[in-house]
Amino acid sequence: MNKKHKLTLVIGLLLCITIRLFCGVFEHDEFGDDVYFIKHKPTWKWRFKSPQGKSDLKIDQMTPAQQEEQILFDEFVGNRIRR
């Protein structure tokens, strides 16, 4: 491999990592569609889903795993859903 190929490989790898850190997908509660968005801060998490959804389930009624998922959903997706 010459220098040009190595440089192209490194730039491509850095681009993929940057996209992974700053882009994400969430599942729309009502329609079930995947919506792509840009995150406000980097995180390795790619797919976000709200365990609460359209239900009246409170955060203290969820399991710890569901609570963590809901908190991340609220932080990164927040008010991005158009109703």
Side-chain angles (χ1 to χ4, degrees), residues 34-71:
D34 288 340
V35 180
Y36 297 93
F37 70 100
I38 301 202
K39 302 174 201 170
H40 67 278
K41 67 180 184 180
T43 181
W44 196 250
K45 185 165 178 64
W46 173 257
R47 181 169 281 283
F48 296 85
K49 183 179 180 185
S50 173
Q52 186 177 31
K54 294 278 185 192
S55 70
D56 291 333
L57 190 64
K58 305 289 183 210
I59 196 143
D60 57 346
Q61 297 171 331
M62 297 179 191
T63 65
Q66 288 176 324
Q67 289 176 354
E68 183 179 337
E69 184 70 29
Q70 185 64 44
I71 290 168

Side-chain angles (χ1 to χ4, degrees), residues 67-78:
Q67 289 176 354
E68 183 179 337
E69 184 70 29
Q70 185 64 44
I71 290 168
L72 287 172
F73 182 85
D74 291 341
E75 179 183 353
F76 285 96
V77 178

